[in-house]
Amino acid sequence: MKIVRVILLAAVVVPGLGAQTDWSAYGHDPGGQRYSPLTQITTQNVSKLKLAWQFGIDPAAADINPATQVLPSTEAVPIVVGGVLYTPIAPSSILALESNTGREVWRHELGRARAPTRGVTYWAGDRTSAPRILAGTSDGRLIALDAKTGKLVPGFGKEGAIDLRVGVTEKFPDAPYRMSSPGVIYRNLIITGAAGKEGEPTGPAMDVRAWDLQSGKLVWTFHTIPHPGEAGYDTWPKDYWVTAGTPAHWGLATVDEPRGLIFLPIGQPAGDYYGGARKGQNLHSSSVVALDANTGKLRWHFQLTHHDVWDYDVTAAPALMDVVQNGKTIPVVVAVSKPGYMFFLERETGKSIYPVEERPMPQSDVPGEETSPTQPIPSKPPALARTGIKADEIFTGEPEHEKYCRDLVAKIGGIHNLGPYTPYSSKEVRIIFPGQQGGPNQGGVSIDPTLGYVFVNSRNLGGLGRLDKAPAGAQMDYSRVSPLGRGTLYARFSDQARGLPCQPTPWAELMAVSANTGDIVWRVPLGSMDVMEAKGVHNTGATGQGGSIVTAGGVLFIAGTIDKRFRAFESRTGKLLWETKLDAPGHSNPLTYMGPDNKQYVVIVSSGVNAFALE
Amino acid sequence: MVTMTLKMILVGAAAVALSWTVTASQQEALPDGPGKEAMERVCSACHELDIAAGTRHTRAEWRVLVESMVSRGARATDEEIAAINDYLGTYMAVVNVNKAAAPEIEAVLAIPKNVAEEIVRYRAEKGEFKDLESLKNVPGVDAKVLEERKDRVAFR
């Protein structure tokens, strides 16, 4: 009798526990905290982590020079539910794997279409529907697969797929259009963004849409460029929305289920560096917006960069947490992006809990450009990235690289920078900090709610260039050019072939911010460059993309560096506890879960899936 | 005071102008070759050609990069993708002379087949090339041609 009761109890409790120990969404939970309650791996034993299994590693990846930032085809964060790991594998597959062995459960081939870049979405289903995997493919479809079998769900859209291009790209048949990040779930809806061309203003509209999870029917649409009668319409030239594509919501959204709110990061307007044809504040570009998740109606907006001409798009998932001040608990959403500032915004209103100053900024000298007179700067926390550079701030400490940098500075006629939000000039080559890579970027933040800490990684990689009159026929009157060479890699203040920035270190940092005080609690360099280590220059930090996760075991995991390492830090102090080398940089976020064998696994995607566990 | 300022500006301008001539390649057209048309049509649907095509990569890197663009929504047939890879891997490529096989060295540097083979044989015998000068020591290598095409050579 007693045994039966125990079994019954276990049957009731396990599903709840399972949810706790899975990684069922991109950001772990709908609010995107990326905090796991698992405690098997601790600060004491993390140094004993070993590779448990791998899947889909691309043998060609090891030969790629990560410094030139040849983009990987995958930046996936797999999903783990009930002992199964779901992930896209480049080029064209979606797979279900046993979470403790990496053995294939099912495989869905997409044909000519390529697999989603950042992962898939798990929907637990409801009374009438079995659990589903939803995935956005490179040809602009949203497909629904049965989570058990990997087969298309016939009742969803047309035979299991929605063509997202319909009603959007008819005027631009050659334009790329697809979901660049997994959609998010709110009750019976999946909410999707889009990505397409970024450099030029015309293109398919990048609106945000919500679809019924049962049928695939469109439920609501949010215009990233307001239409007539919508708030913010007057922040663009008249009728701008008719032909304009960007800004896009191409990053990850978060959901506050009890409040019925969805929070979206919105990217930059086009062109990236010249806004003469789009005078105005340009809402909702480079912003976080809060929508009523049931209707798509705008609740509030917070623009991080007004009239963006720096490519400072907001891409990181706005993460949810509670801040405690003067004994009062304030539900907030944490917004961070490339300019390097972090904002704690009240969830209901979008009002910052730390005062925000609209600070006067240097103005553009480029004909036709009207930069915003001010930009929002919070009183706290301080900037999380280098926001300027003085004329003599050139890297020293290793003669070969120092010489490269001094020669570079001579070639561009000296270092010209006016501090935060320095605009590009048509008269001189300027160096801009943060550059187009950030600062913080789509890796965003992880949060330990028990410590009240927000963890963020940030790179210091300057943009470099001058705005020159574009040739006749170009969509933009001015385009950014670099005297160092054509191509985006030359528009950086660095030795692009070796991935070494030209200003003093650190070149990337990992930081913990106390949400309750707004102070940076600790900061450490993130990454080290082998070529510098060999010459005795240690812990320079390494640029890259990707973010962190944190666990109740007190451990923070992060890759996100071009040094191809995967690391563990003590979340309370920032002490490095463990590192291992990967085949390729992990330009994504890790995840952790309990396997059916009661082992805690930590996974990072490099060119394929790498799973680590204690022996 | 005014002349002083003007002089300073002029000197500054001269220094910048001088530095720009060093890299006048900025506005030069991309080289003609099979696959150029496909590359221009497919790639310019998303971004300015200069964004990527100005930078040299190894063939392996171009393949990864082109595949990554297809996964990010670039619209092309399999034939077009192959043509784009060939174009970029020939005209916008850099070759690692310490790793690549002879055919890749031959194609990227546009040198005779026997010279490319000699480079491979020479490195197997004497070890890795450190710089352009050491590469010039290989019998049959035309130092002048190599100097002209030095931006296509990588050593690591």
Side-chain angles (χ1 to χ4, degrees):
Chain A
M1 185 64 191
K2 198 176 175 187
I3 295 167
V4 173
R5 267 184 61 187
V6 169
I7 291 167
L8 279 174
L9 198 63
V12 171
V13 170
V14 166
L17 274 179
Q20 285 282 308
T21 59
D22 285 340
W23 196 276
S24 59
Y26 185 93
H28 178 268
D29 54 274
Q33 289 198 336
R34 307 198 318 230
Y35 174 79
S36 167
L38 294 177
T39 54
Q40 191 179 90
I41 299 170
T42 67
T43 56
Q44 299 302 309
N45 64 20
V46 66
S47 64
K48 297 190 180 79
L49 275 185
K50 291 277 182 308
L51 187 65
W53 58 265
Q54 286 181 305
F55 191 97
I57 298 290
D58 176 2
D63 287 335
I64 304 304
N65 175 4
T68 59
Q69 298 203 353
V70 174
L71 291 169
S73 292
T74 180
E75 299 171 9
V77 176
I79 298 301
V80 176
V81 178
V84 180
L85 179 145
Y86 303 93
T87 189
I89 293 284
S92 294
S93 311
I94 295 171
L95 281 113
L97 306 173
E98 287 177 5
S99 71
N100 57 324
T101 64
R103 252 182 248 129
E104 198 172 309
V105 178
W106 55 253
R107 169 190 292 258
H108 182 89
E109 292 294 350
L110 295 163
R112 282 209 73 239
R114 303 307 201 259
T117 313
R118 299 201 175 83
V120 297
T121 304
Y122 179 86
W123 179 47
D126 57 18
R127 273 175 303 173
T128 56
S129 296
R132 293 177 185 178
I133 297 297
L134 294 117
T137 56
S138 69
D139 55 356
R141 288 177 306 142
L142 173 63
I143 63 170
L145 305 176
D146 185 306
K148 261 233 157 68
T149 64
K151 295 213 165 31
L152 285 163
V153 178
F156 183 81
K158 202 174 167 187
E159 297 304 313
I162 305 169
D163 186 349
L164 298 169
R165 296 182 68 99
V166 171
V168 181
T169 64
E170 282 78 2
K171 280 189 282 179
F172 307 93
D174 284 339
Y177 183 89
R178 66 180 178 116
M179 290 165 61
S180 113
S181 298
V184 296
I185 305 276
Y186 170 74
R187 292 188 180 166
N188 62 325
L189 300 177
I190 178 161
I191 294 127
T192 61
K197 59 198 277 187
E198 284 198 340
E200 293 178 336
T202 61
M206 295 287 146
D207 294 334
V208 181
R209 292 181 287 178
W211 311 87
D212 184 289
L213 276 160
Q214 291 279 3
S215 64
K217 287 211 171 72
L218 182 63
V219 176
W220 56 253
T221 300
F222 172 74
H223 304 127
T224 58
I225 300 178
H227 291 194
E230 294 172 349
Y233 174 69
D234 55 357
T235 65
W236 300 87
K238 190 171 175 291
D239 293 337
Y240 193 83
W241 64 276
V242 175
T243 54
T246 55
H249 159 55
W250 63 262
L252 265 296
T254 51
V255 173
D256 182 337
E257 280 168 350
R259 285 183 176 75
L261 291 175
I262 175 167
F263 303 94
L264 309 164
I266 309 280
Q268 93 287 358
D272 310 50
Y273 308 108
Y274 182 72
R278 52 171 170 90
K279 291 186 174 62
Q281 200 181 333
N282 301 157
L283 295 174
H284 299 287
S285 68
S286 303
S287 300
V288 168
V289 298
L291 308 182
D292 180 324
N294 290 294
T295 63
K297 293 271 180 297
L298 180 71
R299 273 291 191 87
W300 54 258
H301 69 266
F302 186 92
Q303 192 173 44
L304 278 75
T305 299
H306 309 315
H307 188 81
D308 186 351
V309 285
W310 297 267
D311 193 7
Y312 282 167
D313 41 2
V314 182
T315 60
L320 309 187
M321 71 180 301
D322 289 338
V323 171
V324 181
Q325 286 184 328
N326 306 320
K328 204 176 133 207
T329 300
I330 313 165
V332 302
V333 53
V334 183
V336 67
S337 188
K338 295 178 184 176
Y341 300 101
M342 182 181 283
F343 298 90
F344 292 88
L345 307 174
E346 284 182 28
R347 235 177 278 170
E348 297 272 6
T349 63
K351 190 173 169 290
S352 173
I353 64 167
Y354 298 107
V356 174
E357 174 197 1
E358 280 294 336
R359 189 177 297 171
M361 290 297 169
Q363 295 298 293
S364 171
D365 62 22
V366 181
E369 181 60 270
E370 288 176 22
T371 36
S372 171
T374 63
Q375 296 289 353
I377 309 293
S379 64
K380 278 182 159 189
L384 306 165
R386 171 184 276 274
T387 56
I389 183 166
K390 296 191 188 79
D392 59 352
E393 285 192 285
I394 300 177
F395 172 84
T396 56
E398 192 282 311
E400 189 188 343
H401 184 51
E402 182 178 339
K403 179 175 183 311
Y404 179 94
C405 294
R406 291 200 181 280
D407 289 350
L408 185 156
V409 169
K411 265 189 206 167
I412 62 172
I415 292 178
H416 299 280
N417 175 276
L418 309 172
Y421 284 101
T422 293
Y424 284 106
S425 164
S426 61
K427 298 183 172 139
E428 62 187 8
V429 176
R430 284 187 180 160
I431 294 169
I432 312 293
F433 274 101
Q436 56 273 18
Q437 263 76 36
N441 203 326
Q442 75 237 29
V445 301
S446 63
I447 292 170
D448 184 331
T450 64
L451 292 171
Y453 288 180
V454 181
F455 304 97
V456 62
N457 53 306
S458 175
R459 59 210 56 72
N460 294 313
L461 180 56
L464 178 157
R466 189 176 75 180
L467 285 179
D468 272 10
K469 191 99 176 93
Q475 270 205 30
M476 307 305 306
D477 289 343
Y478 284 82
S479 58
R480 187 180 65 168
V481 295
S482 162
L484 305 173
R486 59 206 279 177
T488 183
L489 283 171
Y490 291 103
R492 293 176 182 169
F493 188 50
S494 71
D495 176 351
Q496 51 95 11
R498 300 203 295 165
L500 309 175
C502 273
Q503 81 284 355
T505 59
W507 294 332
E509 287 183 281
L510 177 65
M511 287 158 274
V513 174
S514 164
N516 298 340
T517 66
D519 297 321
I520 296 175
V521 187
W522 56 257
R523 64 196 305 167
V524 295
L526 176 64
S528 57
M529 296 301 289
D530 289 345
V531 48
M532 284 293 168
E533 291 287 326
K535 293 181 174 177
V537 184
H538 304 296
N539 300 319
T540 55
T543 63
Q545 296 293 351
S548 60
I549 63 165
V550 63
T551 74
V555 185
L556 177 147
F557 292 96
I558 187 166
T561 46
I562 61 171
D563 63 12
K564 303 185 179 182
R565 299 306 201 280
F566 182 41
R567 298 181 165 91
F569 293 85
E570 184 174 35
S571 57
R572 207 169 41 79
T573 64
K575 185 182 170 204
L576 178 67
L577 300 171
W578 172 76
E579 68 176 18
T580 189
K581 191 152 187 191
L582 305 169
D583 66 307
H587 286 305
S588 58
N589 310 332
L591 56 143
T592 186
Y593 54 87
M594 192 64 93
D597 51 357
N598 284 322
K599 266 191 179 180
Q600 183 183 351
Y601 290 84
V602 185
V603 162
I604 182 78
V605 168
S606 54
S607 72
V609 184
N610 306 272
F612 299 87
L614 298 170
E615 277 182 316
Chain B
M1 190 62 186
V2 173
T3 46
M4 180 65 180
T5 312
L6 189 63
K7 193 177 157 195
M8 282 166 64
I9 292 167
L10 284 172
V11 169
V16 171
L18 194 69
S19 66
W20 280 90
T21 57
V22 175
T23 55
S25 67
Q26 193 73 27
Q27 302 303 330
E28 276 171 24
L30 295 167
D32 289 327
K36 185 185 178 186
E37 231 170 279
M39 190 276 289
E40 287 180 333
R41 191 187 70 71
V42 172
C43 303
S44 68
C46 307
H47 57 75
E48 287 175 40
L49 295 176
D50 263 10
I51 281 181
T55 309
R56 288 180 180 274
H57 293 289
T58 65
R59 288 183 157 201
E61 286 169 349
W62 275 126
R63 272 197 296 275
V64 170
L65 199 53
V66 169
E67 177 53 35
S68 160
M69 290 298 125
V70 176
S71 79
R72 284 169 167 78
R75 292 163 78 75
T77 63
D78 290 344
E79 293 73 29
E80 283 171 325
I81 293 167
I84 293 167
N85 270 321
D86 281 348
Y87 176 81
L88 294 169
T90 303
Y91 298 98
M92 297 312 302
V94 62
V95 61
N96 182 340
V97 288
N98 286 321
K99 264 193 177 170
E104 187 174 347
I105 298 174
E106 178 193 344
V108 175
L109 296 183
I111 57 173
K113 186 177 172 209
N114 62 324
V115 179
E117 286 168 355
E118 187 59 22
I119 288 173
V120 173
R121 198 194 59 74
Y122 192 91
R123 86 175 175 219
E125 191 181 305
K126 308 213 166 174
E128 292 200 344
F129 302 107
K130 288 198 172 54
D131 50 25
L132 212 61
E133 292 311 310
S134 59
L135 191 58
K136 287 176 186 169
N137 292 335
V138 178
V141 166
D142 184 332
K144 203 172 138 226
V145 166
L146 198 61
E147 197 65 45
E148 271 169 20
R149 297 168 196 172
K150 66 181 177 196
D151 58 342
R152 304 183 202 175
V153 182
F155 298 93
R156 58 189 162 207

